[in-house]
Amino acid sequence: MAIESLDRFRGEFKRYKANHPPPDFSEVIDFSCIEDHKTEIAIFDAPPGPSREVVQRASLLGMKPPDQWQVCGLHHVPGVMVVPNPFLAGAQHYWVARCIVDYPCHPNVCNLDAHMTRDGNGKLWSPSCDKMMKKLTWVTLGYHYNWSTKEYSPLNQSEFPADLSSLSSFILHCLGFHQFRAEAAIVNYYQLGATLSGHTDHSEKDLTAPLISISFSQSAVFLIGGKTKDIKPKAMFIHSGDIVVMSEQARLAYHGVPKILSPPGGKSSIPRCLSDVELIQRIQQIQLICVTETHRSTDNEESSGAKRRKTEVGGRYDFQDILKFDYTCLQTNWKTFEQYLASTRININIRQVYH
């Protein structure tokens, strides 16, 4: 009983996981309603006004200019930063599609590989594969995490997606983490009723680099505590598009997901930010961006001006996947994606493994 009483993380996890009776969410911090949680939420200064080039890079990645982000933290959990949905209207759709269609493909590794043989590029998604996708729970990118040994190995890796590397590096550079390099990621696919038990992320060789987590579709309750389970964790809502960064003291804090929230509008509902109406807006925007980008020659990228721009935004970025993406096909098939997303939360957590 004494041991049980010390595990305050477990107690809060069981509290929010419960279904009968349903949990009381009155103490859960909601970063979309900052005024209601002034005593819990710390407000950080937004990144400084960016240059025109940084705004262009943000737009390509589907993000608002950094000086328009709301950057928050928790008074009682130092090292946590939360950026509530800084994505442009319709921009989340691209990242959702990449998580569903592309990231599970070979040579990336997923939980289903232990139970089936995948031919060709190993594509899992199709309009008729709903049952298969419901069984997909994780995909690893870059250095592939070994779930048995809980280690990474240089002998077990594949190329990290350039677009996701660009996104995570851009976000973290804007938040002050200038040396971050994306080397590994786990994409988690949560169905309603799924949980993620309390744990710490300590397998990386470099524990000074931050962890960055990006969530899409259904909301969740996220718990974050301290370096031991006897510290009572704080509970907060994570909504579609929200970004969480864990660094410094929070880098090795216990955290978990006790509950994926049912859609407020019923079984078939998705967040408004993932509607087809917003997707149309993004397609129109990306078409204009593509016209502009096609005028940038390779020679110009090597010019002194281009080198200066890369320094301003924290490194070299690769937008080819974004520019070549078939947005028309995405729009045509979006209703099929909606059916899957109505009962799914997708989370990408990205980390630097080595110094």
Side-chain angles (χ1 to χ4, degrees), residues 26 28-30 32-41:
S26 61
V28 181
I29 299 166
D30 192 341
S32 64
C33 304
I34 292 176
E35 290 297 317
D36 296 338
H37 305 277
K38 286 183 177 180
T39 59
E40 301 280 359
I41 296 177

Side-chain angles (χ1 to χ4, degrees), residues 25 145 191 235 270 288 341 347:
F25 294 123
Y145 184 67
Q191 297 300 307
I270 59 171
L288 292 174
L341 295 172
N347 173 261

Side-chain angles (χ1 to χ4, degrees), residues 87-101:
F87 289 90
L88 293 168
Q92 292 185 40
H93 300 62
Y94 168 83
W95 298 105
V96 166
R98 291 283 281 163
C99 290
I100 294 174
V101 179

Side-chain angles (χ1 to χ4, degrees), residues 83-87 92 95-96 99 167 171 187-188 190 212-222 237-244 257 260 271 273-274 341 344-350:
V83 185
N85 187 14
F87 289 90
Q92 292 185 40
W95 298 105
V96 166
C99 290
L167 177 68
I171 294 168
V187 186
N188 291 307
Y190 299 88
I212 177 170
S213 169
I214 309 170
S215 296
F216 299 111
S217 197
Q218 302 303 337
S219 299
V221 175
F222 178 75
F237 289 121
I238 302 295
H239 303 298
S240 190
D242 288 355
I243 295 168
V244 178
V257 179
I260 309 300
C273 57
L274 289 174
L341 295 172
T344 307
R345 173 188 182 240
I346 299 174
N347 173 261
I348 316 172
N349 55 86
I350 308 144

Side-chain angles (χ1 to χ4, degrees), residues 331-350:
Q331 181 183 2
T332 302
N333 294 286
W334 186 249
K335 289 297 181 184
T336 306
F337 285 91
E338 285 188 357
Q339 294 173 14
Y340 173 71
L341 295 172
S343 61
T344 307
R345 173 188 182 240
I346 299 174
N347 173 261
I348 316 172
N349 55 86
I350 308 144

